């Protein structure tokens, strides 16, 4: 029987106006959500970086990078939650190619 999971990478950019506590809460929220629906293989907090262009009048964002394994249905739900969460400026989820 075929394996029913795939490897993914996601990057989220959070609004730095949320403050240190707000950024920590957003980071923990998404790490917990991903680990509840899959297996996290790598987490990197890239920290505050200047954006290439303003997003919602913001020029800086806090970056979170997560590699994870999950069922193919979960990334769509993760994307939906990114879109409805205050403080998320942008997000991207991609399937990681093997080999």
């Amino acid at each position: 029987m075929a394996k029913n999971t795939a490897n993914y990478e996601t990057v989220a950019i959070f609004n730095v106006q949320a403050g240190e506590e707000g950024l920590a809460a957003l980071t923990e929220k998404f790490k917990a959500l991903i680990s509840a629906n899959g297996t996290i293989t790598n987490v990197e907090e890239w920290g505050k970086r200047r954006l290439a262009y303003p997003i919602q009048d913001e020029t800086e964002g806090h970056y979170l990078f997560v590699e994870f394994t999950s069922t193919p249905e979960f990334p769509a739900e993760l994307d939906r939650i990114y879109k409805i969460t205050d403080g998320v400026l942008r997000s991207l989820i991609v399937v990681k190619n093997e080999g």
Side-chain angles (χ1 to χ4, degrees):
M1 181 173 244
K3 183 170 83 168
N4 200 21
T5 61
N7 295 320
Y8 298 93
E9 293 179 346
T10 182
V11 176
I13 306 172
F14 303 135
N15 190 333
V16 295
Q17 302 300 321
E20 290 297 320
E21 290 179 7
L23 292 172
L26 282 170
T27 300
E28 286 306 312
K29 172 184 177 170
F30 285 106
K31 287 188 339 191
L33 178 66
I34 293 169
S35 65
N37 291 282
T39 305
I40 294 177
T41 56
N42 184 28
V43 175
E44 296 177 18
E45 285 196 52
W46 294 344
K48 186 165 75 168
R49 296 182 177 208
R50 184 163 180 78
L51 302 174
Y53 55 89
I55 302 172
Q56 299 174 10
D57 295 327
E58 296 296 330
T59 58
E60 292 183 323
H62 182 87
Y63 285 70
L64 174 68
F65 172 81
V66 181
E67 291 177 296
F68 64 98
T69 303
S70 74
T71 61
E73 296 81 22
F74 174 65
E77 177 65 10
L78 178 61
D79 190 46
R80 184 187 74 78
I81 294 170
Y82 275 142
K83 288 178 180 174
I84 64 172
T85 302
D86 288 338
V88 177
L89 297 176
R90 287 284 190 276
S91 63
L92 177 68
I93 304 168
V94 294
V95 178
K96 232 174 116 172
N97 289 334
E98 295 299 319

